[in-house]
Amino acid sequence: MEEERKKLEKMYQELNTEETDIRKWNHALISKTILLLPLIAFILTFLKINTNKSLIDLFVFLVLGCLLVFGGILLNYLLSKGE
């Protein structure tokens, strides 16, 4: 009974420390930046090259690209399912 109480107190103290959460988030900041950098570069170059295009055109372009990719994945799944 005493051991369980100590374990619960320890877990309670760990949950109440916000410092560890902030530290973990900051450690992942570099990897988050690396993941978002190509997306930001693509959006900036798309809007710089296509000055007459709007954000809606960019959104449509990205959605159509995603639909084509997902269509290819679905087609591959359906063809491989029959084997």
Side-chain angles (χ1 to χ4, degrees):
M1 184 74 165
E2 187 66 30
E3 292 176 14
E4 291 180 19
R5 183 175 178 207
K6 287 181 182 179
K7 287 180 184 179
L8 288 174
E9 286 178 2
K10 185 179 177 182
M11 285 196 298
Y12 179 75
Q13 288 174 353
E14 288 177 5
L15 290 174
N16 283 335
T17 57
E18 294 180 17
E19 184 178 324
T20 57
D21 294 337
I22 294 171
R23 196 175 326 140
K24 287 180 185 177
W25 190 86
N26 286 339
H27 284 299
L29 195 60
I30 294 171
S31 60
K32 290 176 186 175
T33 305
I34 291 172
L35 286 174
L36 290 177
L37 191 61
L39 178 66
I40 293 169
F42 173 76
I43 290 172
L44 289 177
T45 55
F46 181 86
L47 293 175
K48 181 72 175 173
I49 292 171
N50 301 314
T51 54
N52 60 345
K53 301 285 183 181
S54 67
L55 286 176
I56 295 172
D57 294 329
L58 174 64
F59 181 71
V60 168
F61 175 75
L62 291 175
V63 167
L64 287 177
C66 289
L67 285 175
L68 287 173
V69 169
F70 289 132
I73 292 171
L74 179 66
L75 184 63
N76 186 17
Y77 172 74
L78 292 175
L79 290 174
S80 65
K81 187 179 179 182
E83 293 178 1

